[in-house]
Amino acid sequence: MSFMEIVLLNDGRIIRPCGIDDIEDVSEMVIAEAKRSIASDFDEKGWNDFEDYVSFDQILKRLVTGSKALLVQEEDDRISGYLEINDKQILLLFIADYAQKRHLATQLFRRVVMTLSPDELYVNASSQGYDFYCSHGFVALDEWCEKEGVKYRPMKWENES
């Protein structure tokens, strides 16, 4: 099974690679979810930098230069989840509020592990994502940090298989 294959989930959603036509919807979903769930992890400069980081132009630039991205698409074509990875670093993992508690983040993470078979992965976990990463075998590499207006905790995952 390759990273680029489309996977139909039991509930009618699909996991598929992110295309250029998806980027605007992905950007809007990520910003809305970040405002809802992790806005307190940013100061004003950090938030402005984050909005730029998840803008159409910046996502497109990363996808063209080596990032890989998967999204979860609903039956009505709404984007309800997004995971972006570059080499061994998870850059973004967001699930829309209405799709929470359906294990979509877990399914995206497992898809990355299954198709890319990384030896290890890294993430700068947000306050909201920290428990998710811990429950999936990530360990903290350091205490909570704040850099350039963003609060995060560096974490690492090692493939046991």
Side-chain angles (χ1 to χ4, degrees):
M1 179 181 314
S2 92
F3 190 83
M4 299 303 288
E5 287 181 9
I6 295 173
V7 176
L8 181 61
L9 302 177
N10 293 338
D11 60 7
R13 292 180 175 88
I14 61 170
I15 294 178
R16 64 175 178 80
C18 180
I20 192 168
D21 293 340
D22 301 312
I23 296 174
E24 188 173 326
D25 291 337
V26 163
S27 177
E28 289 173 8
M29 186 274 292
V30 169
I31 288 172
E33 289 312 307
K35 280 181 184 175
R36 183 189 63 76
S37 63
I38 60 170
S40 62
D41 289 355
F42 300 92
D43 67 13
E44 185 176 348
K45 179 192 180 322
W47 181 257
N48 291 336
D49 289 347
F50 178 77
E51 283 186 313
D52 181 57
Y53 187 75
V54 299
S55 69
F56 179 94
D57 292 343
Q58 292 301 313
I59 292 174
L60 178 60
K61 182 178 179 180
R62 289 193 305 274
L63 293 179
V64 168
T65 59
S67 283
K68 293 179 173 29
L70 292 173
L71 57 84
V72 177
Q73 183 177 339
E74 299 287 320
E75 290 179 356
D76 64 3
D77 293 337
R78 287 184 300 170
I79 305 296
S80 56
Y82 180 74
L83 182 146
E84 184 179 335
I85 186 168
N86 191 316
D87 192 27
K88 296 179 181 187
Q89 180 78 31
I90 295 174
L91 304 178
L92 296 167
L93 177 53
F94 282 87
I95 304 297
D97 186 39
Y98 66 84
Q100 296 283 324
K101 308 292 184 213
R102 296 183 184 156
H103 307 287
L104 298 179
T106 296
Q107 291 181 63
L108 287 169
F109 174 70
R110 286 182 181 156
R111 177 92 176 139
V112 164
V113 169
M114 189 171 34
T115 59
L116 299 179
S117 302
D119 293 332
E120 58 192 17
L121 291 171
Y122 296 88
V123 69
N124 288 328
S126 66
S127 59
Q128 185 74 19
Y130 179 75
D131 289 340
F132 168 82
Y133 290 114
C134 286
S135 72
H136 286 78
F138 283 77
V139 293
L141 297 174
D142 201 350
E143 296 300 317
W144 287 97
C145 307
E146 188 169 326
K147 184 177 178 183
E148 297 179 12
V150 181
K151 178 182 164 187
Y152 65 93
R153 191 156 192 192
M155 302 183 81
K156 178 182 180 180
W157 172 89
E158 292 186 39
N159 196 338
E160 299 294 322
S161 45

